[in-house]
Amino acid sequence: MEVYVDIDRCIYCHACEVACERVHGEARISVGAVEERASVPLFCHQCDVAPCALACPAGALVQGEAAVSFEAEKCTRCGLCAISCPFGAVYIGETAPLQKCDLCSEREAPACVLTCPTEALIWGDGEDGAKRLRRRAAARMAQSCAEAIGRGRI
Amino acid sequence: MAEEKLVPTVCPYCALGCGFYIKLKEDGPEIEYMLDHPTNEGSLCAKGNASLEVINHPDRLRHPLKKTEGGWSRITWDEALSIVAGKIEETIKRHGPDALGFLGSAKSTNEENYLFQKMARTLGSKNVDCCARRCHSPTIPALKRAFGSACMTNPIPDLANSDCIFVIGSNFAENHPIVARWAMRTKDRGGRIVVADPRLTPTTWLADLHLQIRLGTDVALLNGMMKVIIDEGLWDRKFVAERTTGFEELAEKVSGYTLEKVSEIIDAPPEAIVKAARVYAKSPSSAIVYSMGITQHSHGTNNVSACADLALLCGQLGRSGAGLYPLRGQNNVQGACDMGVLADFYPGSVSVHDPGAIRFIEEAWGTSALPIGMGMTAEAMPVAAAAGDLRFLYIMGEDLVNSDSSSSRGRRELENLDFMVVQDIFMTDTAEMADLVLPAAAWAEKEGTFTSSERRVQWIPRAFDPPGEARSDLSTILKLASLLGLDFDYAGPEDVLTEIGRVVSSYAGISKERAEERGGVIWPCPHPEHPGTPILHQEGFSAPEGRGRIVPMEYLPPAEETSLDYPLLLTTGRVALHHNAGSMTRRSFSLMKRSPELFVEVNPQDADRWSVIDGDLVEVETRRGEAWARARVTPRQEEGVIFMPFHFPETNLLTSDVIDPEARIPEFKVAACRIGKMKGV
Amino acid sequence: MKEILIRPERCMGCRSCEIACTVEHSRSKSLFGAVAEKPLPKKRIYVEFVPECAISVPMVCHHCEDASCVSVCPTGALSQDEIVRVVTHDLEACIGCWTCASVCNYGVIGRNKDQRVAIKCDWCPDREVPACVSACPTGALVYKDVDEFSGSKRAVAALKLAQGVTAGESR
């Protein structure tokens, strides 16, 4: 299980940021707007072959089956992980040695997912996100097709 | 492990009535999501997530304070209330009860608001009003005329069943993010979203079609759309014939709104108007969502009427997926209106001009000679204070000074009062002006019911003790009433709710037990077995003969136009991270961190012309005042328009004080202005 | 240049395309072999039934001209051939971050859990016509040049019109 994003749904409301900050003291997710036309939540993707875990010389970041875990006592705050992460989702924190999403391991589902007003963040298997996008695209195609052949919606 | 307790509650910010739990633990309270709440399914916006930050805030008022020569001095509750009671009696004796003014609060519970207006009216004062005057007051007369009842017709989750959502004058993605959840479900099903808004906002990101119209031209657009619908025969003939009146007048009125003319007025391509009209009229069920962009105009009532006309014309009412959604702003603004905290209505929408109906309330209250006739509105009170007609003002939980338009005038006028008492949770700018300040309990520190925008009445239990000596508004009102010799005999909010059920027919079946259930009850709920009425107007309208009234409207331009001296138009609105006058959100650390100061959004072309660079401090000036704000150069609005959020006190120094003649709402949305860079910086 | 185009009105939701795709991307390339393979081969085409319209839509990678999956890929694992437009996926470079899957508007980038990489349509490089198109019994999937596709639609429309005209005349 991991956090997946449906970018079209993000409305730049910052709810995930504030929720993450509430739970962890510092926000590990951030939302950026792009040219006032869209916004994107940026967070740890828990990559399956994670560059941060490959880069970590101290073995503090460990590649797991579904997530990349962090062991604080091993961390030397060298910052290699922050450099290697393609999403800028790992950073040296103020209140903790390293700020990286832990998928709210002590909760049933991450706070950012539960709080997201538009369900732009999806908690699920990697396929769930794609499935949702696919359903939506299919619904639109089917509708225009139905209109074209004069069937209309049922 | 220490004991943990989950207390259900309703979010104190906007009017959607989202539920969540407060988890009480030894190391402080925490928010837990309420996944089975019907409106929000657990999700919360940024403000909801930060709501507990105001509970134990160091700025909270903890003791009654009295203004003296040397500043504020702490007094006891007994002293404070006897001063207030003394002032009220003195004012009545010297100037009569109409010199008393009472402003209720859309943040207090139904029970508190009910008692507040009951106290005011039993004392003989007509002057009761609340902040609904500044948000949805046009909705009330316009929808009452059209449908017979003035509220949201369908619940928010029902938006997911629409095939077309027509959004006009609402930026719900920022201001009511949970609405976007349901709008997105519509899109998932292949439904379409049409947005008419002068600005590019996150709501327009969701739109399949965005009409970037000129400020304040909503009636022209709606009339243009209705003409297209009539010309192309897309209107609902059966619905119009069986359930409405006034179609002929409408057809005649809109016949003058040709595409060319409308397109020129609204500054959007004619094809877009046709497309919007077709998709709204042809979709099996279409909803209209509107908000302050429609109401905060000098012709706000006309705007709302035109929206209602469109819905009536196309028969998009009284069933799932259709309807009209006025999105309201405060957690209990619907409740405050239902409780009659309005200058023109007694509880249960009984008109102040209807002696017969008022007689019924007199009987219920065991009194006689309740005042008849229109009282002073929130906008009229400062004016009356300046004229010496209003001597005493009791403000319960409202920052009048910062939320009033053209606020420096209001501030000057209020100084004329003999006595002003403010009951609030923080020392707001209004409280600073008062003679006496009473500390109040915040939402989770008391119990009672709140009515959300979708008419959902929900009971919240008490989760915390109020800080210091702060008290709930209810206990303050009860104490004060007994000092004034009024016969207010209630053991607690539950008793008051029972009385509300007797006076307000749509609340008759609502008890504490029912309102405590998850999701509460949606009124009208006329008897205890009634399940509540999520969708209104299914059988007929509550207007005379059960017919909806189509009232054609003429387009009127906004009151202020640009001139050589003031070449730009200023519009105001909200941002995702703040709420209304900001007395709560501006004290919330995690929100302030993300949106720390007042800004003004300027189009790049205008920025070039007035040599404004992104990040500059600029001066914005209107005929009423000037304010400093940080410039944000962005193409979010069209050339010639600048935007400022109204969460910071400076914005309302600038806004226009022209008011809608019927609803008496000021035109917050359009003011002519000019900008310039700060000199010497 | 040919590509896979869809005609949802012809799709009857039989899912033959899904099976053909899975078989084509198996090691054995036969139905019986594919079922026995470990790990199981995965499909790259998905038939979605839309109940509101009672229409099924086969969803498959469109190899978009300005493909968002390619532009967001942080490691360059996804790349697009400039001439034939096919979007290809380099398994070695993929770090399994699923950003491509997030941005694909059609939701047709899947996930290979065992190899920890993304999978997507490759227009069956070993075949003349992609397997899904060959398998489609109703012609809901076609492998054609876009111009040619519209041309054939025009021909059908013209035929219908002509039939109508002749029917009208004979009456």
Side-chain angles (χ1 to χ4, degrees):
Chain A
M1 297 284 272
E2 54 196 52
V3 181
Y4 212 83
V5 58
D6 180 349
I7 289 173
D8 279 2
R9 287 177 116 88
C10 182
I11 52 171
Y12 200 40
C13 74
H14 302 279
C16 51
E17 286 180 16
V18 177
C20 188
E21 185 169 312
R22 187 171 64 69
V23 173
H24 301 291
E26 270 180 80
R28 295 161 177 182
I29 181 167
S30 65
V31 192
V34 187
E35 292 188 346
E36 309 293 352
R37 287 285 179 179
S39 64
V40 189
L42 285 167
F43 55 91
C44 172
H45 287 224
Q46 313 288 352
C47 303
D48 275 357
V49 190
C52 59
L54 293 173
C56 181
L61 286 160
V62 186
Q63 176 78 60
E65 184 51 41
V68 179
S69 57
F70 173 63
E71 292 166 23
E73 61 278 13
K74 290 190 189 163
C75 177
T76 60
R77 290 168 69 102
C78 71
L80 277 182
C81 49
I83 296 168
S84 63
C85 175
F87 305 103
V90 183
Y91 66 97
I92 306 291
E94 283 168 27
T95 56
L98 186 72
Q99 290 293 348
K100 182 198 160 298
C101 170
D102 63 351
L103 298 172
C104 287
S105 48
E106 70 283 8
R107 299 164 157 261
E108 266 174 49
C112 55
V113 175
L114 294 179
T115 204
C116 180
T118 55
E119 301 168 281
L121 296 168
I122 307 158
W123 176 235
D125 191 80
E127 300 277 1
D128 291 353
K131 201 183 281 170
R132 243 170 53 181
L133 291 161
R134 204 157 62 224
R135 288 257 160 84
R136 188 169 67 206
R140 308 220 114 195
M141 286 187 206
Q143 197 189 357
S144 58
C145 175
E147 272 166 19
I149 60 176
R151 198 189 300 175
R153 294 181 61 170
I154 295 170
Chain B
M1 187 151 165
E3 201 185 318
E4 289 182 354
K5 203 175 143 204
L6 282 182
V7 183
T9 197
V10 173
C11 180
Y13 286 109
C14 82
L16 296 187
C18 302
F20 61 87
Y21 294 105
I22 299 172
K23 192 186 202 175
L24 297 171
K25 304 187 301 178
E26 232 162 56
D27 55 343
E30 210 182 273
I31 285 174
E32 201 59 59
Y33 301 107
M34 189 185 274
L35 300 178
D36 57 348
H37 193 278
T39 311
N40 61 321
E41 298 183 330
S43 64
L44 287 179
C45 67
K47 296 187 289 274
N49 271 296
S51 57
L52 293 188
E53 290 173 28
V54 297
I55 285 285
N56 243 330
H57 197 278
D59 287 1
R60 282 291 297 276
L61 290 170
R62 288 175 162 76
H63 310 283
L65 298 170
K66 187 181 165 201
K67 195 179 264 169
T68 58
E69 299 277 311
W72 292 104
S73 68
R74 183 175 154 180
I75 54 172
T76 65
W77 268 103
D78 288 344
E79 275 177 81
L81 291 178
S82 63
I83 295 175
V84 178
K87 287 286 172 190
I88 291 178
E89 279 163 356
E90 188 190 321
T91 312
I92 296 180
K93 204 175 293 167
R94 290 178 51 189
H95 308 284
D98 277 340
L100 301 172
F102 293 84
L103 274 181
S105 174
K107 286 259 175 281
S108 297
T109 63
N110 285 329
E111 292 74 22
E112 290 165 344
N113 276 306
Y114 175 81
L115 285 189
F116 186 74
Q117 60 84 31
K118 182 173 173 183
M119 173 173 77
R121 285 172 167 146
T122 321
L123 289 171
S125 173
K126 293 188 283 201
N127 310 325
V128 181
D129 212 18
C130 73
C131 71
R133 190 62 53 197
R134 282 185 289 276
C135 59
H136 269 294
S137 58
T139 298
I140 300 169
L143 294 193
K144 245 186 130 49
R145 190 165 55 206
F147 309 149
S149 76
C151 38
M152 209 149 157
T153 60
N154 298 39
I156 308 241
D158 194 43
L159 272 180
N161 302 324
S162 296
D163 300 291
C164 162
I165 302 179
F166 178 53
V167 186
I168 181 162
S170 168
N171 178 11
F172 62 69
E174 281 196 85
N175 306 330
H176 304 91
I178 307 300
V179 174
R181 180 187 197 86
W182 303 100
M184 275 299 185
R185 299 253 173 107
T186 302
K187 284 191 80 166
D188 286 348
R189 292 172 43 254
R192 287 171 169 109
I193 300 181
V194 180
V195 180
D197 197 310
R199 300 173 62 220
L200 272 174
T201 64
T203 312
T204 63
W205 300 349
L206 314 182
D208 297 276
L209 175 66
H210 173 208
L211 294 119
Q212 196 160 14
I213 60 172
R214 208 172 265 153
L215 284 181
T217 58
D218 311 81
V219 171
L221 168 67
L222 291 161
N223 280 356
M225 283 171 64
M226 287 190 272
K227 176 166 160 51
V228 172
I229 290 167
I230 293 173
D231 285 354
E232 299 190 0
L234 300 174
W235 46 288
D236 188 336
R237 289 175 178 76
K238 188 162 175 281
F239 188 92
V240 167
E242 288 171 5
R243 299 192 51 186
T244 68
T245 57
F247 171 74
E248 284 73 28
E249 292 86 344
L250 178 82
E252 196 191 314
K253 176 80 83 182
V254 301
S255 63
Y257 287 82
T258 59
L259 274 181
E260 297 71 45
K261 183 178 159 191
V262 172
S263 159
E264 200 187 304
I265 297 174
I266 70 169
D267 191 23
E271 310 86 66
I273 303 165
V274 175
K275 256 192 210 166
R278 284 186 190 155
V279 68
Y280 179 81
K282 281 166 95 174
S283 296
S285 50
S286 304
I288 300 178
V289 175
Y290 75 86
S291 194
M292 297 320 59
I294 281 290
T295 57
Q296 288 183 338
H297 283 285
S298 55
H299 43 265
T301 315
N302 296 10
N303 289 352
V304 178
S305 281
C307 291
D309 291 347
L310 179 61
L312 286 169
L313 177 68
C314 298
Q316 299 286 16
L317 283 164
R319 53 198 161 80
S320 175
L324 201 60
Y325 290 78
L327 296 178
R328 314 205 65 162
Q330 302 250 31
N331 60 341
N332 200 32
V333 63
Q334 180 68 47
C337 294
D338 298 340
M339 294 306 117
V341 188
L342 285 174
D344 31 8
F345 291 101
Y346 269 88
S349 292
V350 167
S351 166
V352 290
H353 306 293
D354 182 353
I358 294 172
R359 176 97 53 240
F360 167 75
I361 293 174
E362 282 175 350
E363 274 163 27
W365 289 356
T367 155
S368 57
L370 286 178
I372 294 173
M374 181 82 176
M376 290 174 199
T377 63
E379 305 308 319
M381 285 181 193
V383 180
D389 295 335
L390 191 75
R391 300 295 180 135
F392 170 95
L393 184 56
Y394 190 145
I395 300 181
M396 174 169 87
E398 178 165 356
D399 193 357
L400 177 70
V401 166
N402 286 339
S403 49
D404 202 354
S405 69
S406 180
S407 57
S408 56
R409 174 188 54 81
R411 192 183 282 259
R412 270 195 316 275
E413 289 168 343
L414 285 178
E415 272 166 8
N416 223 25
L417 286 167
D418 290 349
F419 194 79
M420 176 156 108
V421 52
V422 172
Q423 186 169 314
D424 212 316
I425 62 170
F426 289 117
M427 185 59 94
T428 60
D429 288 355
T430 311
E432 289 280 5
M433 293 186 63
D435 300 287
L436 194 71
V437 174
L438 302 173
W443 93 103
E445 296 163 355
K446 57 191 177 190
E447 50 179 7
T449 55
F450 289 100
T451 306
S452 77
S453 190
E454 33 175 16
R455 296 171 275 116
R456 196 185 288 283
V457 183
Q458 302 180 88
W459 178 280
I460 62 161
R462 177 171 156 148
F464 308 101
D465 290 329
E469 292 175 16
R471 287 183 187 172
S472 72
D473 299 328
L474 191 89
S475 61
T476 307
I477 297 166
L478 287 178
K479 257 299 178 3
L480 185 62
S482 78
L483 285 179
L484 290 165
L486 302 178
D487 179 26
F488 279 17
D489 184 20
Y490 305 94
E494 214 179 327
D495 269 8
V496 185
L497 183 62
T498 315
E499 182 176 315
I500 292 173
R502 284 204 300 274
V503 176
V504 182
S505 59
S506 48
Y507 281 66
I510 299 176
S511 60
K512 179 189 169 199
E513 288 69 36
R514 291 199 65 191
E516 255 178 343
E517 286 165 21
R518 178 76 65 252
V521 190
I522 297 184
W523 68 257
C525 177
H527 56 83
E529 282 77 42
H530 194 280
T533 318
I535 300 176
L536 290 178
H537 317 309
Q538 296 198 69
E539 303 295 322
F541 294 99
S542 27
E545 294 171 39
R547 280 171 176 265
R549 216 172 121 196
I550 299 177
V551 188
M553 286 297 150
E554 198 75 71
Y555 162 69
L556 296 167
E560 274 200 9
E561 284 178 359
T562 51
S563 63
L564 273 180
D565 283 343
Y566 298 97
L568 293 168
L569 286 178
L570 165 72
T571 188
T572 64
R574 294 194 259 176
V575 298
L577 291 161
H578 283 290
H579 182 64
N580 291 3
S583 56
M584 284 162 82
T585 51
R586 278 188 286 117
R587 288 184 170 86
S588 192
F589 171 74
S590 56
L591 300 175
M592 276 309 267
K593 198 164 109 183
R594 291 177 169 80
S595 179
E597 57 181 353
L598 179 63
F599 61 86
V600 51
E601 288 183 353
V602 185
N603 179 287
Q605 269 89 24
D606 292 327
D608 271 0
R609 196 163 306 140
W610 279 278
S611 30
V612 171
I613 298 167
D614 195 80
D616 273 354
L617 254 189
V618 294
E619 186 185 43
V620 182
E621 197 181 342
T622 66
R623 293 186 176 91
R624 290 153 297 274
E626 68 275 327
W628 300 107
R630 186 77 58 191
R632 281 193 193 168
V633 177
T634 148
R636 282 180 73 161
Q637 44 281 313
E638 287 179 301
E639 218 180 317
V641 178
I642 64 171
F643 168 84
M644 287 167 94
F646 54 61
H647 311 293
F648 296 86
E650 293 83 1
T651 306
N652 275 331
L653 296 171
L654 308 173
T655 43
S656 160
D657 48 4
V658 181
I659 55 172
D660 178 281
E662 194 167 354
R664 316 202 67 77
I665 187 171
E667 187 152 59
F668 286 100
K669 288 288 183 259
V670 191
C673 70
R674 59 178 172 224
I675 52 172
K677 250 164 82 167
M678 198 174 198
K679 288 169 201 84
V681 179
Chain C
M1 188 213 76
K2 288 183 175 182
E3 54 193 289
I4 302 176
L5 297 159
I6 56 172
R7 290 192 278 189
E9 69 275 18
R10 290 185 169 222
C11 179
M12 49 184 198
C14 70
R15 297 181 189 264
S16 304
C17 51
E18 293 187 357
I19 296 169
C21 178
T22 316
V23 171
E24 176 61 25
H25 294 95
S26 67
R27 282 197 302 280
S28 60
K29 305 223 172 186
S30 78
L31 183 55
F32 294 109
V35 193
E37 269 174 36
K38 280 221 166 81
L40 277 169
K42 299 200 67 171
K43 63 183 179 190
R44 291 124 202 256
I45 184 167
Y46 312 81
V47 177
E48 291 291 338
F49 177 66
V50 182
E52 284 91 351
C53 309
I55 283 179
S56 293
V57 190
M59 301 293 290
V60 65
C61 176
H62 290 241
H63 299 265
C64 311
E65 244 170 76
D66 184 6
S68 46
C69 56
V70 175
S71 44
V72 297
C73 181
T75 63
L78 282 163
S79 58
Q80 186 162 28
D81 188 297
E82 277 177 25
I83 300 159
V84 289
R85 257 180 56 203
V86 63
V87 175
T88 48
H89 184 222
D90 177 0
L91 299 186
E92 287 295 302
C94 179
I95 58 169
C97 69
W98 315 115
T99 314
C100 48
S102 290
V103 298
C104 174
N105 267 321
Y106 300 95
V108 288
I109 298 187
R111 177 170 185 177
N112 186 332
K113 280 223 176 98
D114 307 296
Q115 287 187 45
R116 307 176 79 84
V117 289
I119 51 169
K120 64 174 291 302
C121 167
D122 54 3
W123 273 346
C124 293
D126 301 343
R127 298 173 61 108
E128 186 96 343
V129 173
C132 53
V133 178
S134 320
C136 182
T138 59
L141 289 166
V142 285
Y143 191 57
K144 270 188 183 159
D145 189 279
V146 178
D147 289 339
E148 196 189 335
F149 179 67
S150 330
S152 65
K153 278 194 144 177
R154 269 200 301 277
V156 173
L159 180 66
K160 271 192 183 164
L161 198 66
Q163 280 167 344
V165 171
T166 41
E169 277 173 353
S170 63
R171 180 149 45 92

